[in-house]
Amino acid sequence: MSIFGEFHFPADAFVLHRTLEQTSDLVVEFERIVVDEERLAPYIWVRTSEPSAFEERAIKDPCVEALERLDAFGTDSLYRVDWAADTSPLVDLVTDVDAVVLEASADRDHWELRIRFDDREQVVRFQRDCDQRDITFLLQRLYSPSEPMTGGQHGLTDKQQEALVVAWEVGYFDSPRDVTLEDVAAELGITRQSLSQRLRRAHYSLIGNTLIITPPTSDGEP
């Protein structure tokens, strides 16, 4: 049975370390990232108040060969990235044990990765290899799926679904609202910035997959 692990790694253990270090309000998120033949998926969501500054720093980052902004929604932008051949030792570790990175997101301090393993033996190998390469990590959660996730049918990642459910359970969507974004973030054990982006992307996916039948054209007509 597959096993899912949620890990926190230092920012310098994965990609864009220098860019994250230089940009205080930066949040980066891969969605359904797949490591294939030791290469990372090319699409990332970036949230920052200074996209131009992010682009200038990212293109100089050793892990980036090319960068192109595809879409922008307020402070959120979708980029296509051509990664350098040797992006991160974590990429090698994941592919060496035949595991798959399903989600990855970061702020200035750390990366959060959700990794799918085929069995517990793969988990043990991965943890051992991290130790041998002096890659520190914090294991947040290790679990086997007990039932199918329902959020996928609406385009939600597991983390986006969890954020929406927890926010609803603690009363964030109540009126009047007594619960702040910081309260919900504390329940989830993530930063306010990460939660804000996660909710924004969740709302975008829900609307796009439930309410929008035909995308609007450039003049706003369907």
Side-chain angles (χ1 to χ4, degrees):
M1 178 180 291
S2 295
I3 296 175
F4 295 83
E6 296 178 1
F7 299 84
H8 280 191
F9 290 94
D12 59 0
F14 203 42
V15 295
L16 295 174
H17 164 53
R18 292 188 181 178
T19 307
L20 287 164
E21 189 176 48
Q22 296 169 0
T23 314
S24 59
D25 68 340
L26 181 62
V27 177
V28 179
E29 182 178 346
F30 287 87
E31 289 193 7
R32 294 184 176 89
I33 167 180
V34 175
V35 177
D36 182 21
E37 297 179 356
E38 300 184 357
R39 300 287 291 189
L40 289 172
Y43 299 104
I44 61 171
W45 281 98
V46 171
R47 185 181 188 192
T48 178
S49 60
E50 299 179 298
S52 297
F54 161 76
E55 292 166 10
E56 291 175 4
R57 293 162 182 164
I59 200 62
K60 297 176 183 177
D61 202 300
C63 70
V64 175
E65 291 187 344
L67 182 75
E68 179 185 4
R69 192 187 333 183
L70 302 179
D71 290 299
F73 305 91
T75 57
D76 291 357
S77 299
L78 176 65
Y79 288 89
R80 177 182 174 87
V81 183
D82 292 336
W83 301 104
D86 298 322
T87 53
S88 161
L90 267 181
V91 177
D92 296 333
L93 291 181
V94 171
T95 54
D96 285 348
V97 300
D98 294 323
V100 176
V101 180
L102 299 177
E103 298 175 34
S105 60
D107 55 24
R108 189 173 184 176
D109 299 321
H110 69 276
W111 276 95
E112 299 177 25
L113 271 66
R114 191 167 73 96
I115 305 175
R116 185 182 68 213
F117 303 91
D118 289 344
D119 49 42
R120 289 191 174 274
E121 183 178 348
Q122 275 190 351
V123 179
V124 173
R125 285 177 55 199
F126 178 73
Q127 293 176 319
R128 181 191 62 215
D129 290 350
C130 284
D131 290 338
Q132 291 176 348
R133 298 200 189 188
D134 294 324
I135 298 176
T136 60
F137 64 87
L138 176 63
L139 178 60
Q140 294 289 100
R141 186 182 177 201
L142 195 66
Y143 62 97
S144 297
S146 58
E147 59 184 21
M149 295 301 240
T150 58
Q153 62 184 309
H154 301 307
L156 297 177
T157 66
D158 292 344
K159 285 186 176 181
Q160 289 168 357
Q161 181 182 351
E162 180 188 29
L164 286 172
V165 171
V166 170
W168 182 85
E169 289 177 341
V170 300
Y172 179 72
F173 298 112
D174 292 350
S175 181
R177 179 185 294 169
D178 296 323
V179 176
T180 66
L181 203 61
E182 287 81 1
D183 295 331
V184 183
E187 286 286 330
L188 292 166
I190 61 177
T191 65
R192 182 188 185 280
Q193 285 183 323
S194 295
L195 175 61
S196 179
Q197 175 159 331
R198 199 169 293 177
L199 289 176
R200 182 189 296 263
R201 296 299 308 139
H203 290 150
Y204 181 83
S205 296
L206 278 176
I207 293 171
N209 287 282
T210 59
L211 301 179
I212 305 301
I213 299 176
T214 303
T217 61
S218 58
D219 61 3
E221 293 296 326

